[in-house]
Amino acid sequence: MPKYNKTFELSVEDLDLIEDALRASKNAAINDDLAEMAANDNVRQIHDLLGRLHNQKTFYRPAKGPYVGG
């Protein structure tokens, strides 16, 4: 039985491209028919995947000095 590959070699640019494509797909699905959006599980799946991608990011925060966000 084949096993899933749990090691991926994706660059930051690859992840940006995936996120942009998912956002475009989500926006297209939302704009197609707002009434049907509540029944559309695809939009929810895309939104959840974008959230999981975001939660796996490591954001830079300086060890010394004040943190200035923005």
Side-chain angles (χ1 to χ4, degrees), residues 31-70:
N31 292 334
D32 283 345
D33 190 2
L34 290 176
E36 193 176 312
M37 186 181 72
N40 192 354
D41 192 44
N42 192 27
V43 173
R44 180 172 297 280
Q45 289 175 344
I46 291 171
H47 186 73
D48 289 343
L49 178 57
L50 283 168
R52 288 193 308 268
L53 284 172
H54 175 78
N55 291 339
Q56 291 183 20
K57 292 180 181 178
T58 303
F59 295 96
Y60 172 76
R61 187 175 194 110
K64 294 183 178 181
Y67 174 70
V68 180

